[in-house]
Amino acid sequence: MQDDVTRLVVVGNGMAGIACLEQILKHARPFSVHVFGDEPHVNYNRILLSSVLAGEKSDSAIVLNDAGWYERHGVILRRGVRIDSIDLDARTVSGSDGSATGWDKLVLATGSSAFLPPIEGLNKDGVFAFRNLDDTRALLERSRPGLPAVVIGGGLLGLEAARGLQVQGCQVTVVHLMDTLMERQLDSAGGRYLTDKMERMGIRVLLGRQTRAVLGNGHAEGLRFADGETVEAGLVVVAAGIRPNAELARRAGLKVNRGVVVNDYMETSHPDVFAVGECVEHNGVYYGLVAPLLEQGKVLAATISGNRGPRFEAVAPAATLKIMGVDVFSAGETGAEPGEADVIRYEDPSLGIYKKLVLRDSRLAGVILVGDTSDSGRYAGWLRQQTDLSAQRRQLLFPPPSQDQGFDVASIADSETVCGCMGVSKGSIIQAIHEKGVNTLAQLKETTRASTSCGSCTTMCRQILQAVAPEFEDQVRRTICKCLPFTEDRLREMLRGQQIKSVQEVLDIYGNGAGCEVCKPALSYMMDMLWCGGHDEDRSARFINDRVHANIQRDGTFSVVPRMRGGVTSPGELRRIADAADKYNVRMVKVTGSQRIDLLGVRKEDLPRIWADIGMPSGQAYTKGTRMVKTCVGTDFCRFGTQNSIQAGIELERRLENLFTPHKVKMGVVGCPRNCAEATVKDIGLVGQEGSWQVVVGGAAGKSVRKADLLVTVETTEAALEAAEIFFQYYRENANYLERTYDFVERLGIEKIRKETVYAAEPARRQLLSRLHKAKQYARDAWLEGTQPVDPTQFIQIQPLETAYR
Amino acid sequence: MTSHQWIRITDAANIPARQGRAVTVSGRELAIFNLGDRFVAIENSCPHRGGPLCDGIVTGTSVVCPLHGWKVDLDSGAVERPTLADCVATVPARVEDGIILLDVSALAAQQRVTAA
Ligand code: SRM
Ligand SMILES: Cc1cc2nc3c(=O)[nH]c(=O)nc-3n(C[C@H](O)[C@H](O)[C@H](O)COP(=O)(O)OP(=O)(O)OC[C@H]3O[C@@H](n4cnc5c(N)ncnc54)[C@H](O)[C@@H]3O)c2cc1C
Ligand code: SF4
Ligand code: FES
């Protein structure tokens, strides 16, 4: 029989089996390939189940090989079919559907199952494992706000399950047998930092508890521990470890200890049966993380396709906790204490950062990073290559002062794996850059899958891009301030997924708990934008202007600018303004540069009354929000007018007023290209012409002058207004705080903005509009607080209950 | 030795968490802050150009002046700028039966010093 006409059967349609099959198909073309998977799904990224549970990813977003992939490669996938037995003599496998399938070469890739500790009542309704997509769906279905949920097990999996359930609204407790969370990866100090983070997030952590029984009548209601203590639990997740699925192999007569025993070539005790993945035991070790399993797959692919030679070598895999904002990285030997090895530690309790490096003979033996994992790539590299660190002893905890960005990159071999999760080597990244024209991290993710799972290789990927890609533009952005160690992009992503609705909560969980004048207003904006106004408003996080809805001036008084839509007013309004100016001794009444009127020098306690007297809404002249729409007279009066600019301007102002933005948004609408209201130097401008409108964005005539870019030309006024609304919302969602449109448009480029706004697919445009409209529903004229203050002393000075005697 | 002179100012509920409010006592304008676990009081005038400190954003145990961003430590009254020795007067505060009290004796003493 020839090697290339064998019938290949793979048992297990999971990550290791299919990754190995992908490799085999590169080497050889078997006569037939059957894959049996007892799950009803195609191969998906199991790692990302945590993200599915936390609502960050959809089911379809984690598919690794879709049905088309199997088809294209002539692989027959038998989903939902379990292999019950193997006949080594007849060379067949029999499936749960009664089928018998012959093989010449057999690959076992059955993975593992949740280890179930001896706890009474695990069969009760409401007790789950967290291993596959169906478990995840069941958990999503069961979880609901307020439900007390308990996760048994404080390892990687248990903590990720806990956070996911919490995001779904459950009241979560993690129960751990040991005294340290993730004790296999952390030392006790690292564990304390992690416990602290979890508790600050609102997840209760009970350490040193041995669970004895699930309580409840048929349905889980609580847990009882060895010491008799009990906790309430309507939902229980068992994440106490894994057990290799080796029963099938054992019954067939293959050599099995805890897992299916293989040698360095991934061969089992039968010459034509091989095994790969979590079901395998190699030199007494079985692995529960993807990176080494993918290595096994490569070795097996070589063996099975007649290129026997590469050997699987034991590795110390690195672990990353995938909870957004709770950054934990651990690799190698981490438990060593000073005295046993060189131990270097760094702690910042207020920011929750803990780092520990274990060195032996000036080489890195282990590393723990909690709270800040930005340097994990560098440490992983040192660990892998066993770099001699004698010369860098003083800089181990800080980024290298290296001028040459390419240095780190140049020092790794092409064959070396960069993305452990997806098994992508440095060579294949470079190949993608050259052959597929990859220039950005996003493109790299799309073409190679690198950096799509746990994210710990992102820094390294970025460095390679920087060194190799001709047109690489780094998308890194600065963090807001020192209180919070995240970029705004990352924060938005984190908060969106995690149902955090108040500024103080963000600071408590992710920051130093205090916040400052820089991050508090920025976070306030982010909360308002993400929850479309449905956040928990915290006035202490707002600048004074946004507490009293007026602009503070040099003497501590305030200015009042009522909304005058489109710059159009009436005798009645002007009379009321004039009367109020007299009544409150306003120091100056001034026509502003934005076509409206400013009353300057009003005392804080007079604000509510002056607003009431004027009887006009707030012009938001004091805040980062919709300022105004300047208009020209247009077709109604002007002999050159081609469009009704006043009407369009007033309508635009109505649609966007009372909304907040990353920085102020000023607009203009003009009836013809003579541009009398300066629309082409506004954040958003509508320029009328015969039979159409040009919608322009990103203009400026302030600190700098910039002519706005053309976003789109449309025929009707409604279409022009809608284009403006779509851009407005896109700016709200994507700009950094205090980034005016002129910087934003320049940074992203108008082509990209067009693609993602006016030229985006219909559903994407609808979604932008519907989020805008939702925010608009919550939006209120801030001056209504004049009669309904948010607290009794919002505008007034405190009057002492008694006076001092002398 | 000066004897304390605690006077009752206002219901603690009148000052929201992490915010400040102004009050005039003995002709001096003070700013009282609610730090969540305690109340503190300082003179309501920024040493830079007299900005109303009660309107500033609280960061930890400091307040940031709303006019030009000077940062004043609420416990010591010191301005957190390396080269400056400016300082704001602080006034002892405590809460009793839900009412904020200020010890204005310190204030009187400081006033006397200034007057002298
Ligand atoms: C009142 C007004 C001047 C006037 O009397 O006309 C004014 C007053 C202030 N402007 Fe302005 N700007 C005013 C029109 C403008 C205009 C003209 C316009 O809107 O068409 C511009 C140029 C266009 C623009 O916005 O870019 C303008 C560009 C600025 C800038 C520079 C913005 C930039 O990024 O280039 C600032 C500073 C900032 O925002 O960082 C600023 C900041 C300010 C502040 C808010 C300074 C501050 O933070 O306290 C001033 C408040 C004074 C006060 O005590 O009330 N003001 N300011 C105008 C109020 C308009 C309104 O009705 O809302
Ligand atoms: C929630 C979660 C998060 C994780 N996070 C990470 C992480 O961040 N980083 C990391 O490196 N690893 C992580 N892991 C572990 C990683 O997913 C596994 O190491 C990897 O999936 C193992 O691959 P495998 O192919 O060996 O097993 P699996 O992916 O489990 O695939 C085995 C498949 O075989 C099927 N099967 C078993 N027996 C039979 C049979 N008799 N007949 C037919 N089919 C059968 C199983 O149902 C399963 O579909 C995580 C795991 C989980 C559950
Ligand atoms: S230009 Fe604007 S910011 Fe400058 S002084 Fe005049 S009003 Fe104030
Ligand atoms: S007045 Fe306070 S910083 Fe200028």
Side-chain angles (χ1 to χ4, degrees), chain A residues 127-399:
Chain A
V127 181
F128 297 89
F130 182 32
R131 176 72 202 174
N132 57 39
L133 191 52
D134 292 346
D135 295 335
T136 312
R137 286 181 179 165
L139 285 171
L140 281 171
E141 203 163 287
R142 277 304 178 93
S143 56
R144 58 179 160 74
L147 179 74
V150 177
V151 177
I152 302 176
L156 283 165
L157 200 59
L159 294 178
E160 289 175 15
R163 181 56 181 157
L165 290 172
Q166 194 203 20
V167 170
Q168 300 305 327
C170 299
Q171 295 289 331
V172 185
T173 305
V174 172
V175 175
H176 195 47
L177 181 64
M178 304 296 174
D179 291 323
T180 300
L181 286 181
M182 283 178 61
E183 78 286 348
R184 290 174 55 188
Q185 289 89 10
L186 301 180
D187 63 352
S188 58
R192 271 199 307 278
Y193 272 82
L194 177 57
T195 304
D196 188 50
K197 285 253 169 199
M198 298 304 290
E199 297 209 307
R200 281 213 258 168
M201 263 183 167
I203 292 172
R204 188 157 68 126
V205 178
L206 298 177
L207 298 169
R209 305 292 204 290
Q210 185 176 13
T211 310
R212 275 288 158 75
V214 180
L215 309 174
N217 187 4
H219 184 96
E221 286 167 16
L223 292 187
R224 195 181 61 239
F225 304 132
D227 61 2
E229 187 192 356
T230 61
V231 290
E232 198 189 344
L235 182 80
V236 177
V237 176
V238 185
I242 54 174
R243 200 177 38 89
N245 288 330
E247 244 347 88
L248 180 68
R250 192 191 312 275
R251 275 188 275 115
L254 293 166
K255 179 151 192 265
V256 170
N257 289 334
R258 295 183 73 177
V260 184
V261 175
V262 296
N263 60 15
D264 289 356
Y265 303 100
M266 309 311 292
E267 295 159 335
T268 68
S269 56
H270 185 285
D272 287 316
V273 180
F274 310 85
V276 68
E278 279 188 350
C279 61
V280 156
E281 182 177 320
H282 173 261
N283 283 343
V285 180
Y286 59 97
Y287 294 92
L289 290 169
V290 172
L293 306 183
L294 297 180
E295 276 312 305
Q296 292 181 348
K298 285 184 193 159
V299 171
L300 173 52
T303 308
I304 211 170
S305 56
N307 303 309
R308 190 174 190 267
R311 290 158 172 262
F312 177 67
E313 283 165 32
V315 280
T320 308
L321 181 65
K322 304 188 302 300
I323 298 182
M324 286 228 213
V326 183
D327 294 323
V328 177
F329 174 83
S330 152
E333 169 202 2
T334 54
E337 289 299 321
E340 307 158 35
D342 277 353
V343 175
I344 296 154
R345 282 210 180 99
Y346 172 87
E347 295 191 43
D348 182 341
S350 75
L351 273 184
I353 295 175
Y354 174 76
K355 303 182 180 185
K356 174 179 176 182
L357 304 182
V358 177
L359 269 73
R360 287 188 189 280
D361 303 330
S362 291
R363 282 159 220 277
L364 194 61
V367 53
I368 293 176
L369 304 173
V370 180
D372 174 9
T373 55
S374 50
D375 283 333
S376 58
R378 193 158 52 105
Y379 295 134
W382 286 347
L383 200 58
R384 246 187 339 249
Q385 293 153 46
Q386 285 299 293
T387 315
D388 183 349
L389 299 171
S390 329
Q392 307 171 53
R393 271 306 286 261
R394 285 163 184 280
Q395 281 110 25
L396 294 180
L397 286 168
F398 308 100

Side-chain angles (χ1 to χ4, degrees), chain A residues 99-121:
Chain A
S99 64
T101 308
W103 49 266
D104 300 309
K105 297 205 188 278
L106 178 66
V107 172
L108 299 178
T110 49
S112 53
S113 318
F115 165 70
L116 300 179
I119 298 172
E120 238 173 82

Side-chain angles (χ1 to χ4, degrees), chain A residues 443-668:
Chain A
Q443 291 167 343
L444 185 69
K445 286 181 176 182
E446 217 170 276
T447 41
T448 64
R449 287 190 195 152
S451 174
T452 52
S453 277
C454 78
S456 62
C457 65
T458 309
T459 317
M460 183 58 73
C461 289
R462 193 176 270 134
Q463 282 172 354
I464 298 178
L465 278 164
Q466 193 155 10
V468 182
E471 281 159 51
F472 174 68
E473 262 183 57
D474 204 353
Q475 297 135 329
V476 272
R477 263 169 250 167
R478 285 170 301 119
T479 57
I480 307 180
C481 66
K482 60 181 183 352
C483 307
L484 273 166
F486 303 101
T487 62
E488 283 186 54
D489 265 2
R490 180 99 201 279
L491 269 174
R492 277 195 293 268
E493 206 184 306
M494 276 157 45
L495 305 184
R496 189 178 280 128
Q498 313 215 350
Q499 304 291 320
I500 296 180
K501 296 203 173 172
S502 81
V503 173
Q504 197 54 43
E505 210 182 330
V506 183
L507 291 169
D508 285 343
I509 297 174
Y510 297 123
N512 62 0
C516 71
E517 76 283 7
V518 179
C519 61
K520 282 180 159 189
L523 289 172
S524 297
Y525 169 71
M526 215 178 272
M527 288 286 137
D528 177 85
M529 181 277 287
L530 286 172
W531 306 114
C532 297
H535 64 296
D536 299 333
E537 170 71 12
D538 175 0
R539 284 294 156 82
S540 76
R542 298 279 192 185
F543 186 59
I544 184 64
N545 287 10
D546 285 302
R547 292 187 196 167
V548 297
H549 316 301
N551 195 333
I552 193 163
Q553 303 185 320
R554 57 191 311 144
D555 61 353
T557 63
F558 293 85
S559 65
V560 169
V561 182
R563 189 164 293 290
M564 212 170 254
R565 296 184 188 94
V568 178
T569 181
S570 68
E573 284 181 353
L574 291 173
R575 243 176 240 120
R576 295 202 299 275
I577 290 174
D579 289 343
D582 279 341
K583 184 167 162 192
Y584 298 97
N585 294 316
V586 167
R587 272 177 57 206
M588 177 180 274
V589 182
K590 184 181 179 302
V591 173
T592 72
S594 299
Q595 295 189 345
R596 39 201 204 165
I597 291 174
D598 195 351
L599 295 99
L600 296 139
V602 181
R603 297 185 316 160
K604 194 201 271 177
E605 52 269 39
D606 286 337
L607 289 172
R609 280 177 293 150
I610 198 168
W611 295 338
D613 286 2
I614 291 173
M616 292 162 74
S618 160
Q620 285 178 285
Y622 47 80
T623 192
K624 312 299 172 220
T626 301
R627 289 292 170 90
M628 79 302 167
V629 182
K630 272 168 92 157
T631 68
C632 72
V633 287
T635 40
D636 276 0
F637 301 93
C638 176
R639 63 199 164 112
F640 296 118
T642 57
Q643 293 285 358
N644 192 332
S645 49
I646 295 185
Q647 212 181 55
I650 291 176
E651 177 59 19
L652 183 60
E653 193 162 341
R654 270 190 201 288
R655 289 193 190 183
L656 302 181
E657 66 191 22
N658 300 328
L659 289 168
F660 296 99
T661 40
H663 205 315
K664 51 194 172 191
V665 173
K666 298 180 170 184
M667 292 167 280

Side-chain angles (χ1 to χ4, degrees), chain A residues 504 514-517 520 538-540 543-544 547 553-554 604 791 793 797-802 804-806, chain B residues 5 7-10 14-19 21-24 26 29 55-60 64 66-67:
Chain A
Q504 197 54 43
C516 71
E517 76 283 7
K520 282 180 159 189
D538 175 0
R539 284 294 156 82
S540 76
F543 186 59
I544 184 64
R547 292 187 196 167
Q553 303 185 320
R554 57 191 311 144
K604 194 201 271 177
D791 61 71
T793 53
Q797 263 222 6
I798 291 202
Q799 299 305 314
L801 292 170
E802 51 187 48
Y805 55 87
R806 290 203 183 212
Chain B
Q5 188 190 354
I7 64 164
R8 301 166 72 236
I9 301 294
T10 193
N14 278 330
I15 304 179
R18 300 178 299 275
Q19 287 196 43
R21 289 290 183 265
V23 62
T24 304
S26 309
E29 198 171 297
D55 286 340
I57 287 183
V58 171
T59 154
V64 180
L67 293 193

